[in-house]
Amino acid sequence: MNATLRFDLHMHSNMSDGALAPAELMQRAADAGVQMLALTDHDTIGGLSEARAAAVSLGMQFVNGVELTADWRGRVVHLVGLGFDAAAPAFDLYMQNLMLLRDDRAQEIARKLHKKGLPENLYELARAHAGDSQIGRPHFAKALLDLDKVSSMQEAFDRYLGQGTAGDVKATWPSYSEAIELIKSAGGVVVLAHPTKYNFTFTKIRELMTDLLDAGALGLEVSFPGVTPGHQHELIKLAQQRQCYVSAGSDFHSPDQRWTSLGRYPEFTAERLITERLSAA
Ligand code: AMP
Ligand code: MN
Ligand code: MN
Ligand code: MN
């Protein structure tokens, strides 16, 4: 039955860098025919209760989620936690630390970009976009758009925020093992988000999966917008070799991003869908 369930286990609200409030996001997912879903904001679980209430009233099966930014051997990876108890006390300190860490990093991004000739009040402008939510590079991209310094989010990343640019400020993210431990201690499961989006070779992805599975993660995403059929095939093969779970999601952020829509990602067939594990929990 799960095989036919329309699910989406990766999406963002305005509690992190998404455009829609959690309840609006749930309404849009229901309109798109999604039956089971998880809200997975970056480094915050602040949107889960609003999203859950809305999802349940719309008749959808809601799964608590979060996309944790983590360090793996000096590289940044994203880990999706699913099906955990959001009331677990361990979240308080962990999330508080991430809030401070992201705020410090944002101030550093602003300093670096000011040195590159951008206005001095960039932090305040980005913070205005983030509100009380987790601040990230997309909020700076929006500020740069407002200032007409760039003409698209992509250009903002290419010139000021992406890998190798001034705004690509390193932070001391929690380690992957800490992230996995947090989610496991709260009764949840962890999968690697969008494995082909880190500029890693497949050899490196396999090494990463070895470490993650050893630390208690259960699987990886094999379908998400932008994954090529060839890469998807490799990811499914990897999951099969490791006998681990597979997940999928739209990574939806905003209706403006025409290449994503809720409940949509390239179709695939694979064994051990994480939805089976979540329904059983
Ligand atoms: P941060 O967590 O602050 O490092 O910001 C990362 C977020 O920026 C990702 O979750 C994406 O939503 C967004 N992002 C990363 N690269 C790009 C890009 N090239 N264009 C637009 N958005 C991007
Ligand atoms: Mn994002
Ligand atoms: Mn991500
Ligand atoms: Mn995401």
Side-chain angles (χ1 to χ4, degrees), residues 125 129 139-150:
L125 297 175
H129 277 289
H139 300 114
F140 281 90
K142 285 182 186 155
L144 293 171
L145 269 172
D146 294 344
L147 292 167
D148 276 333
K149 296 290 179 189
V150 294

Side-chain angles (χ1 to χ4, degrees), residues 109 113 122 126 129 136-157 160-161:
I109 290 173
L113 293 180
L122 214 50
H129 277 289
R137 286 178 291 166
H139 300 114
F140 281 90
K142 285 182 186 155
L144 293 171
L145 269 172
D146 294 344
L147 292 167
D148 276 333
K149 296 290 179 189
V150 294
S151 56
S152 68
M153 296 283 283
Q154 187 58 50
E155 189 189 347
F157 273 86
Y160 296 113
L161 299 161

Side-chain angles (χ1 to χ4, degrees), residues 95-246:
M95 294 302 165
Q96 218 178 321
N97 172 45
L98 280 171
M99 189 64 92
L100 293 173
L101 194 142
R102 278 188 171 273
D103 195 69
D104 285 350
R105 170 178 177 250
Q107 298 193 36
E108 182 65 12
I109 290 173
R111 273 193 293 274
K112 288 267 170 68
L113 293 180
H114 177 50
K115 278 192 195 158
K116 291 276 163 195
L118 291 168
E120 198 165 4
N121 65 340
L122 214 50
Y123 169 78
E124 286 74 17
L125 297 175
R127 180 45 84 186
H129 277 289
D132 292 334
S133 308
Q134 282 287 20
I135 194 167
R137 286 178 291 166
H139 300 114
F140 281 90
K142 285 182 186 155
L144 293 171
L145 269 172
D146 294 344
L147 292 167
D148 276 333
K149 296 290 179 189
V150 294
S151 56
S152 68
M153 296 283 283
Q154 187 58 50
E155 189 189 347
F157 273 86
D158 290 347
R159 289 179 56 194
Y160 296 113
L161 299 161
Q163 218 175 0
T165 66
D168 178 26
V169 173
K170 302 287 173 249
T172 316
W173 301 107
S175 71
Y176 69 94
S177 47
E178 286 174 288
I180 292 169
E181 198 41 55
L182 171 75
I183 300 300
K184 279 184 64 181
S185 75
V189 301
V190 176
V191 295
L192 173 63
H194 44 65
T196 60
K197 299 238 165 130
Y198 307 108
N199 275 328
F200 291 171
T201 60
F202 258 89
T203 304
K204 201 138 200 102
I205 293 174
R206 281 188 280 269
E207 283 171 19
L208 168 59
M209 279 315 298
T210 300
D211 286 353
L212 295 183
L213 294 172
D214 281 352
L218 287 192
L220 72 166
E221 289 183 348
V222 299
S223 190
F224 40 88
V227 69
T228 64
H231 282 163
Q232 186 178 78
H233 179 80
E234 283 299 313
L235 294 173
I236 291 172
K237 200 167 87 187
L238 174 55
Q240 213 137 28
Q241 284 163 348
R242 307 293 172 96
Q243 302 271 298
C244 68
Y245 283 92
V246 304

